[in-house]
Amino acid sequence: MAQKRQLSNGCNGSTDSLSSASDSFPPAEQFLLGSEKRDPPVVVSDSSEGDDEPVVLVDETNTTVSRPFSSPVRQTRSREPEDHNEPSLSSPSSSSFCVKSGNKRSRISQDGDNLDSIFGLQRSFSQPAPKRNQQEARSIATTLVDHVPNTAPITDTSAKNNATSTISRSNSSSNVKPRSASNFFGNVYQKRATKLTRAASAKGPAEADVPGSDRQSYLQIFDRILHTVLRAEAHLFSDQERQQLSAFSELDRHSRYLFTRVYMRKREWLRVSALDYGGREVVDQSCKYLGARKQNMDPFFLTEADIPDCEKALALLLIPELRALAKSRGLKQLSGKPKEALCAMIMKSTKQRTIVSFFKKNTESQAQRAEELVSEIIGITGPMVCLNPGVAELFERLHMVFFRAAVHVNGDNTMKLAVLATIGQIRFPKYTIMRSSDLFVSAQNVIEYKALVEIGAAMAELAASPVKLIDDHKRGWELYLAHRESWTTHVEALLKDGAGGGCRTSPGLCSKDTTADTEQLATEYWRRHFTPGWALSRIVVRGAKFAATLKQYKSEEEILISLLSQRTYQLHKRGEWYERLILLYTTHLRPKRAKGDSEAQDQTVLLLKRARETCIRAIQDRDVNTISLHAISKQLGAVEEKLELEERFQFKHPRISGDWQAAPERTFHGVRIKDNTRRGPSLWDGDDQVPCSVEELALWRYRALGFHGIHSENSMATTLFSLLFWDIIFHPVMGVLDTEYQSHPLDMMSDAFYTNRKPLIDRRLEQIAKGDLFLGSIQANYDAGFGAECIGVSWDITLDDLLTVVQYIGAKGLEAICRALAKEYRLKSSGFPDLCLWNKNTRKVMFAEVKSPKDKLSDTQRDWIDILLKSGVDVEVCLVREGGSGE
């Protein structure tokens, strides 16, 4: 019987907590994060274990990296779990780690060498390691890269059993609640990182003092980032910045670790006494090193001496401390006062002179009284530190260059995911790393790009505010206005250079281009994602949305026209821009008509003609996707009807398609649970008397009709696509698989994904269409990649269910789903029907889109229904209404 697997959510800092969920742990060589061919590995002889064979320390840039992963046992109906008969990677009583030695696995003793301080290796800390001077450490670090396999002890059987929760189910049993498969696509990384990091932060203070895998993983990640970026992309930093980064690498490991932990926190002042990242003396000494000022070198930490003013210092106190300070200054009526009021009272007392000081001949100035207040506050808090803003900005740029993402924008958890991967809590697919060194042109390019990305993120946060918070939208509009002139100048330069309207900037649109030319154009297009111009275009797009919210429709029209005038950035949004511009002409910009107002009527006709011209341009624009084409075709019909054009004058074009095929409807009834205090999706009374969602209620009803199924939504389609095209998704393409912490290539969300792999994708689609369902490949990829963070894959869906769906859906339906995702993954990764159903008697698959009362089909959902129906796959629209318990 199939069992449902879940990833272990534990993330303790000690290595003993990283126990495997399976009793027989698979070989570490199976879990390869990434590889690229470079120089041969360095061979180091280790005589401490008495091994005759030299041990190979694998270079980060050379070959494959092996990492353990706490993967739960996978059981299916068709096969038993494999017994790899592998010994434990390490033992709590042993201070050794495993590396690859030829085709064998060898051990290197850590008793004689403190390599963990350089490479960030997990080890047993029951015995203190000998010290190594910095010069010798740097010499070793230069010879051997820090990418050494990171292992964790796997011994505790009870921990293994507790790490995995298995849920058995039977589709044939009527008293079992239907299973709902969660969708891992979208914000899967942030969700998993938040979940695991919360578990990690729950460790006790005694455990926090133990230098374990958490400490080593942070050091390992930072050292790898430094080495990787400065090896090939050092030109993106100035000489002084490279000197600053070099100074960081020369710090002792305790200071580096403290810096990494503070760097991962919010940019605020911290009390040294509250930094629980090691022993008290170690933390104090590390703060001293990090706050030291050297010639031509910025300190890594600011200290209490750098607190700018007394207002900032007061904000660092707790409410009880503020009350005590206020009482010492003779202030009264303090009870019940909030923190802001207490700070204001103390600041007011600082600005006023006391009676005693008034009669003194040498009275203190206000600045002196403020300095005394700051000194008094520091006496309460003790030593304080804060990450130097200049150094923080430098490391943010460093990490952005490494991860190809702004890691400190909108709560991005890329660094946390890297740490979790290092300690084995999560796993990424194995692929060959082909990192490019010319993605960013210059240091100034990186600085401008980062600044614009951060502004765009701030605008996105303001745009998420409710409309009633109009001040937030006004601030977002002001941010756009600050960059409007820059955008106008940039677009004029693009048009002047011929890059604004030529099809050569759009990948795959020119039939005269050869395959090589098309691939080059596609590569150039997605690489623009990392240019200041692309970040600026995102600011402009958000500016249009702020204009719509503020009802500044004329300004919105100007913005949309400027966006449509160029073909360099965000081609996938052109359909949305056309739709909105047509709506402005037909609705928002139309003058209010009055009886006998001929001028208003003429203006209306002029706007309708302009809307028709825009519709025609949009239909002829090859970058407009099929979903927008349907909407624009309807808009064109409505405009021509208002203009009362005869049929012979109406615009005809091959791209104008008819309506989508409509799916048959089926109505189910159920008892809705009404709760006025609850927000979110509606709840219904399930057949097991347990509240359930509308989709789960529909599953109950379909079960009575003889169907088996799951609530999978988009995850069924995306999981099948990723497993069928796993090798193509992670096919070595220069510059798209740049780090070992990627769930998908960098060009996955652009048109370049299909263009760069067109021969491979077309060949696979052709094989599927001919009847090769690749059942063996699906099973092999499922087994090898189980639990890995791969885009679109939901490991909650069992292998048996996937194989059943593939066999019942047929070659034509499977090929249609994969083709749609391969060509437009960004667009087609949403809108798939809610339920995946199959009947074992008829051996047919049916998909159902569930709609509760007042819920309607979106254009994306209509498009998917049309694709499935045209490929011969059954689809229904399931309408759930309040009423009896039957159909």
Side-chain angles (χ1 to χ4, degrees):
M1 180 171 294
Q3 292 185 347
K4 187 177 179 180
R5 284 71 37 90
Q6 295 181 353
L7 293 176
S8 173
N9 293 332
C11 184
N12 295 331
S14 62
T15 55
D16 293 339
S17 66
L18 301 177
S19 301
S20 171
S22 61
D23 294 330
S24 57
F25 193 83
E29 287 79 6
Q30 291 188 4
F31 300 141
L32 307 179
L33 288 182
S35 65
E36 60 176 331
K37 297 180 180 180
R38 294 186 185 272
D39 298 331
V42 181
V43 179
V44 179
S45 177
D46 188 335
S47 59
S48 58
E49 290 284 328
D51 295 338
D52 296 331
E53 184 180 6
V55 178
V56 179
L57 292 181
V58 183
D59 186 294
E60 170 192 6
T61 63
N62 179 355
T63 183
T64 306
V65 182
S66 302
R67 295 194 188 284
F69 173 64
S70 299
S71 175
V73 177
R74 191 185 67 74
Q75 297 182 5
T76 66
R77 301 184 186 93
S78 58
R79 53 184 303 194
E80 295 295 326
E82 298 178 3
D83 183 7
H84 297 278
N85 296 322
E86 286 289 330
S88 299
L89 293 180
S90 59
S91 171
S93 60
S94 172
S95 59
S96 61
F97 61 88
C98 299
V99 296
K100 296 169 66 176
S101 175
N103 294 324
K104 302 178 180 179
R105 298 170 62 192
S106 304
R107 293 184 178 272
I108 297 179
S109 173
Q110 292 179 333
D111 298 334
D113 291 320
N114 187 20
L115 295 178
D116 60 307
S117 64
I118 304 171
F119 305 117
L121 305 175
Q122 296 190 33
R123 63 187 296 274
S124 173
F125 286 88
S126 57
Q127 298 179 359
K131 296 183 179 180
R132 184 187 299 276
N133 60 64
Q134 291 187 358
Q135 183 177 2
E136 185 179 1
R138 288 196 299 272
S139 175
I140 295 178
T142 303
T143 306
L144 304 176
V145 187
D146 57 356
H147 217 154
V148 180
N150 193 3
T151 60
I154 303 171
T155 54
D156 189 1
T157 305
S158 62
K160 300 172 189 175
N161 296 333
N162 294 334
T164 307
S165 60
T166 57
I167 303 176
S168 60
R169 67 174 182 88
S170 174
N171 283 329
S172 60
S173 177
S174 60
N175 60 353
V176 180
K177 191 173 181 179
R179 176 169 56 86
S180 174
S182 60
N183 183 5
F184 273 33
F185 179 70
N187 296 329
V188 58
Y189 315 114
Q190 295 185 6
K191 291 179 182 178
R192 183 173 299 280
T194 302
K195 191 174 184 180
L196 294 179
T197 50
R198 283 178 181 174
S201 62
K203 61 184 181 181
E207 184 182 354
D209 292 335
V210 180
S213 61
D214 178 72
R215 173 190 294 267
Q216 300 306 318
S217 60
Y218 276 91
L219 292 177
Q220 184 177 359
I221 296 298
F222 267 69
D223 290 345
R224 182 180 302 120
I225 292 172
L226 270 173
H227 176 271
T228 303
V229 174
L230 295 183
R231 181 185 59 199
E233 297 172 283
H235 63 281
L236 301 178
F237 303 91
S238 65
D239 293 339
Q240 185 175 358
E241 290 171 342
R242 290 196 292 269
Q243 186 179 2
Q244 186 86 40
L245 296 174
S246 177
F248 172 80
S249 63
E250 294 176 1
L251 291 169
D252 63 278
R253 65 182 179 125
H254 298 292
S255 300
R256 297 199 330 272
Y257 175 69
L258 179 61
F259 176 87
T260 60
R261 296 311 303 266
V262 173
Y263 174 81
M264 296 294 294
R265 298 178 63 166
K266 293 182 179 179
R267 305 291 186 257
E268 57 187 11
W269 286 90
L270 304 171
R271 304 188 186 194
V272 175
S273 59
L275 298 177
D276 192 15
Y277 300 129
R280 184 79 275 130
E281 295 181 359
V282 173
V283 172
D284 292 343
Q285 190 69 18
S286 297
C287 289
K288 180 180 178 181
Y289 290 154
L290 293 169
R293 298 178 181 272
K294 300 179 181 179
Q295 187 177 5
N296 299 328
M297 190 76 62
D298 293 332
F300 293 94
F301 281 176
L302 301 180
T303 62
E304 63 274 5
D306 299 308
I307 296 178
D309 50 51
C310 51
E311 291 185 8
K312 186 68 175 178
L314 282 171
L316 304 176
L317 296 178
L318 304 176
I319 291 181
E321 295 171 338
L322 286 171
R323 288 175 181 167
L325 178 62
K327 288 181 180 179
S328 68
R329 303 177 74 84
L331 300 179
K332 299 180 180 180
Q333 298 180 353
L334 305 176
S335 60
K337 296 283 186 181
K339 186 174 183 177
E340 294 77 8
L342 293 173
C343 292
M345 293 173 64
I346 297 174
M347 284 298 302
K348 185 177 180 180
S349 68
T350 303
K351 297 177 181 178
Q352 296 176 347
R353 296 173 60 184
T354 63
I355 297 178
V356 177
S357 64
F358 180 80
F359 290 99
K360 287 184 178 181
K361 293 183 179 180
N362 297 325
T363 59
E364 295 178 326
S365 65
Q366 181 176 339
Q368 290 175 326
R369 292 195 296 273
E371 291 179 1
E372 291 179 358
L373 176 60
V374 172
S375 300
E376 193 172 353
I377 293 173
I378 295 174
I380 297 174
T381 62
M384 305 281 293
V385 294
C386 178
L387 196 63
N388 190 333
V391 175
E393 198 277 335
L394 170 61
F395 273 84
E396 287 173 5
R397 275 190 284 128
L398 178 76
H399 289 185
M400 185 185 71
V401 172
F402 178 81
F403 288 109
R404 308 314 199 197
V407 295
H408 278 277
V409 173
N410 285 346
D412 186 272
N413 287 305
T414 308
M415 267 295 301
K416 295 178 181 178
L417 287 169
V419 173
L420 294 174
T422 304
I423 64 178
Q425 288 294 323
I426 62 175
R427 180 166 63 93
F428 289 92
K430 51 185 178 180
Y431 47 80
T432 300
I433 296 177
M434 298 184 66
R435 185 178 180 88
S436 60
S437 60
D438 59 347
L439 184 61
F440 297 100
V441 178
S442 63
Q444 185 63 28
N445 181 275
V446 175
I447 294 173
E448 293 177 358
Y449 174 74
K450 178 177 178 294
L452 292 172
V453 167
E454 291 173 348
I455 293 172
M459 294 177 69
E461 186 175 351
L462 292 172
S465 302
V467 178
K468 61 182 180 180
L469 300 178
I470 197 66
D471 290 339
D472 288 349
H473 296 273
K474 288 181 178 179
R475 285 197 296 271
W477 175 247
E478 291 172 357
L479 287 174
Y480 159 72
L481 293 178
H483 295 83
R484 179 171 59 181
E485 185 176 352
S486 299
W487 171 251
T488 303
T489 305
H490 186 60
V491 171
E492 290 176 354
L494 291 175
L495 296 175
K496 183 178 180 180
D497 295 338
C503 63
R504 291 197 61 80
T505 60
S506 178
L509 301 186
C510 300
S511 57
K512 62 182 180 180
D513 290 336
T514 63
T515 303
D517 291 337
T518 303
E519 292 180 358
Q520 182 179 359
L521 292 172
T523 302
E524 292 175 358
Y525 174 69
W526 76 260
R527 284 168 66 93
R528 295 190 195 123
H529 286 70
F530 303 94
T531 61
W534 190 283
L536 183 60
S537 70
R538 293 173 64 89
I539 292 176
V540 177
V541 171
R542 293 190 174 100
K545 294 182 178 180
F546 284 119
T549 304
L550 300 174
K551 297 183 179 181
Q552 299 188 23
Y553 299 123
K554 194 63 180 177
S555 298
E556 184 184 4
E557 178 195 8
E558 295 174 356
I559 296 173
L560 293 174
I561 291 175
S562 70
L563 287 168
L564 289 168
S565 66
Q566 54 82 36
R567 289 182 178 272
T568 307
Y569 309 115
Q570 305 201 57
L571 298 178
H572 63 282
K573 287 184 175 290
R574 294 183 67 83
E576 299 177 19
W577 300 339
Y578 279 119
E579 289 183 58
R580 181 63 186 178
L581 186 58
I582 295 167
L583 183 62
L584 289 177
Y585 291 145
T586 57
T587 305
H588 299 302
L589 291 177
R590 290 180 60 181
K592 295 182 179 180
R593 298 182 59 180
K595 291 183 179 181
D597 190 351
S598 60
E599 185 178 351
Q601 186 175 359
D602 293 341
Q603 182 68 19
T604 300
V605 172
L606 180 62
L607 288 173
L608 287 175
K609 291 181 178 179
R610 194 177 299 175
R612 182 174 181 270
E613 293 173 357
T614 306
C615 290
I616 294 174
R617 288 206 325 269
I619 293 172
Q620 294 174 337
D621 192 334
R622 298 297 300 273
D623 290 321
V624 175
N625 58 63
T626 56
I627 296 177
S628 293
L629 269 179
H630 277 82
I632 295 171
S633 298
K634 292 181 179 179
Q635 288 177 317
L636 176 61
V639 169
E640 290 181 335
E641 182 178 353
K642 291 179 180 179
L643 290 173
E644 298 180 352
L645 293 179
E646 297 180 9
E647 184 177 356
R648 58 181 178 144
F649 295 114
Q650 294 178 2
F651 181 73
K652 306 294 183 182
H653 194 276
R655 297 193 72 197
I656 299 179
S657 57
D659 292 336
W660 286 298
Q661 291 190 25
E665 295 183 352
R666 185 191 298 267
T667 303
F668 291 134
H669 294 86
V671 178
R672 183 171 182 175
I673 301 175
K674 296 183 179 180
D675 185 359
N676 296 330
T677 62
R678 181 182 177 275
R679 294 183 178 181
S682 59
L683 287 179
W684 300 74
D685 192 6
D687 288 3
D688 56 355
Q689 307 303 316
V690 176
C692 64
S693 66
V694 65
E695 292 85 4
E696 291 170 331
L697 179 66
L699 278 178
W700 283 113
R701 300 293 181 261
Y702 277 112
R703 182 184 294 265
L705 299 178
F707 286 96
H708 302 269
I710 59 175
H711 173 208
S712 58
E713 296 188 3
N714 308 296
S715 61
M716 176 58 73
T718 56
T719 299
L720 286 175
F721 174 76
S722 295
L723 292 177
L724 281 166
F725 289 77
W726 188 289
D727 56 328
I728 298 177
I729 292 174
F730 297 102
H731 179 71
V733 176
M734 177 57 69
V736 300
L737 295 170
D738 282 12
T739 72
E740 55 265 52
Y741 311 112
Q742 294 181 219
S743 64
H744 59 276
L746 295 176
D747 62 348
M748 184 78 177
M749 294 300 177
S750 72
D751 298 337
F753 172 77
Y754 173 74
T755 307
N756 281 334
R757 304 161 182 81
K758 188 176 185 302
L760 296 174
I761 294 176
D762 289 346
R763 189 181 306 115
R764 182 65 49 84
L765 291 173
E766 182 180 355
Q767 291 172 332
I768 295 175
K770 290 181 179 179
D772 189 349
L773 302 180
F774 291 91
L775 298 179
S777 297
I778 293 176
Q779 182 168 344
N781 291 333
Y782 192 96
D783 291 339
F786 181 74
E789 300 288 341
C790 177
I791 187 171
V793 177
S794 172
W795 300 111
D796 285 349
I797 305 177
T798 66
L799 177 60
D800 289 340
D801 290 348
L802 288 170
L803 296 178
T804 299
V805 171
V806 169
Q807 294 178 71
Y808 290 179
I809 199 173
K812 188 176 180 181
L814 187 61
E815 189 268 346
I817 293 174
C818 293
R819 181 178 294 277
L821 288 169
K823 290 189 172 182
E824 296 179 302
Y825 193 91
R826 179 197 290 270
L827 183 66
K828 292 298 195 295
S829 57
S830 62
F832 202 78
D834 296 317
L835 306 182
C836 178
L837 309 165
W838 59 90
N839 191 310
K840 293 185 177 180
N841 295 326
T842 62
R843 298 182 65 84
K844 287 290 188 68
V845 163
M846 181 177 71
F847 295 99
E849 179 63 39
V850 183
K851 291 299 176 185
S852 59
K854 299 181 180 181
D855 196 5
K856 297 182 180 180
L857 290 171
S858 66
D859 285 348
T860 307
Q861 292 170 342
R862 292 179 186 275
D863 187 55
W864 261 120
I865 292 174
D866 183 72
I867 292 173
L868 293 172
L869 289 176
K870 287 180 178 178
S871 61
V873 180
D874 294 335
V875 185
E876 286 186 353
V877 176
C878 176
L879 305 177
V880 179
R881 300 292 182 259
E882 294 185 61
S885 59
E887 182 177 353

